[in-house]
Amino acid sequence: AQSVTQLDSQVPVFEEAPVELRCNYSSSVSVYLFWYVQYPNQGLQLLLKYLSGSTLVKGINGFEAEFNKSQTSFHLRKPSVHISDTAEYFCAVRKVAGNKLTFGGGTRVLVKP
Amino acid sequence: GAVVSQHPSRVICKSGTSVKIECRSLDFQATTMFWYRQFPKQSLMLMATSNEGSKATYEQGVEKDKFLINHASLTLSTLTVTSAHPEDSSFYICSARGTGGGTEAFFGQGTRLTVV
C-alpha cells in the first residue's frame, strides 16, 4: 500500500516570499505523483503532476515540484507567493497500474501581507 | 482541463431523510468515478469507487446501505445518503477519470451536507 506524508500541517508565509511544501511518499511499486490545491468550500484543482521523465515539473500559477526518487520526495515550491495562494495543498500518489489516489494530510498555506 | 460538475453545492436536510448528490462529467466520458468525504481541516477519505454499469466498490468501514452509489451512465454518478443523521454532515467530493486510462482525475466542486 502507498502512503503520503506532508510534513507541515500549516505554513505561514509573507507575500512575495518563497514557499516550499514538503511531501514524502512510500510505495513498493512505481507511482504517479500529484499536487492539488483546494480553496475554501471547493473541490480540488490539479497544480502539477509527475508521470515520468524530467524530475522537475512545472505547474500552474508559478508552482513547480521536484521528484526525488532516492529520497521518495515530491516537494512543491513557489519562488514568490501572492495573497491568493492562501489555500490547502494536498500531495497525492497513485500506482501506475492503479486507480485510486492516496492523499497526504494536507498543508494549509496562509499568505500574510 | 475537463469539467466535473457536482450538484448541489450546499444542502441542509432533516434527520432521517435522504439526500442525493449528483456528479456529472460535462465534456468527457467518465468510466470511473470516486466519492470522497472530507472532515473539517482534514484530508480526503475515499468512500467508494464506481465504474459505469457495475456496482460500486466501497472502502473498508463505509456502509453500503447508507451511502448508495449509482453510476448508470458514462457522464453521471450519484451518491445518496440515506436516513441521514447529524454525524453524516460533511463535505462530499466526487472525481472522475475518463476512458482510455488517463492519468488524471478531475474533481467536482464539492457538496456541503448539513443534517439538522
Side-chain angles (χ1 to χ4, degrees), chain A residues 29-45:
Chain A
V29 298
S30 296
V31 294
Y32 296 137
L33 296 138
F34 305 83
W35 273 100
Y36 289 90
V37 61
Q38 183 181 34
Y39 299 102
N41 293 310
Q42 292 189 31
L44 274 65
Q45 181 183 6

Side-chain angles (χ1 to χ4, degrees), chain B residues 57-70:
Chain B
T57 303
Y58 289 81
E59 296 298 302
Q60 194 171 10
V62 178
E63 298 176 61
K64 301 178 186 183
D65 295 332
K66 179 154 195 66
F67 299 100
L68 300 179
I69 291 171
N70 183 282

Side-chain angles (χ1 to χ4, degrees), chain A residues 13-14 16-20 78-81:
Chain A
V13 57
F14 286 105
E16 297 183 8
V19 70
E20 179 180 79
K78 184 168 182 176
S80 175
V81 295

Side-chain angles (χ1 to χ4, degrees), chain A residues 39-90:
Chain A
Y39 299 102
N41 293 310
Q42 292 189 31
L44 274 65
Q45 181 183 6
L46 182 70
L47 282 175
L48 47 79
K49 59 187 176 184
Y50 174 79
L51 306 181
S52 65
S54 173
T55 57
L56 183 62
V57 180
K58 293 193 183 294
I60 63 170
N61 300 343
F63 284 94
E64 64 179 33
E66 185 148 22
F67 170 57
N68 187 317
K69 189 173 182 179
S70 62
Q71 296 187 6
T72 60
S73 68
F74 191 52
H75 301 334
L76 180 72
R77 301 184 186 97
K78 184 168 182 176
S80 175
V81 295
H82 301 131
I83 296 288
S84 59
D85 292 322
T86 293
E88 188 87 23
Y89 293 80
F90 291 98

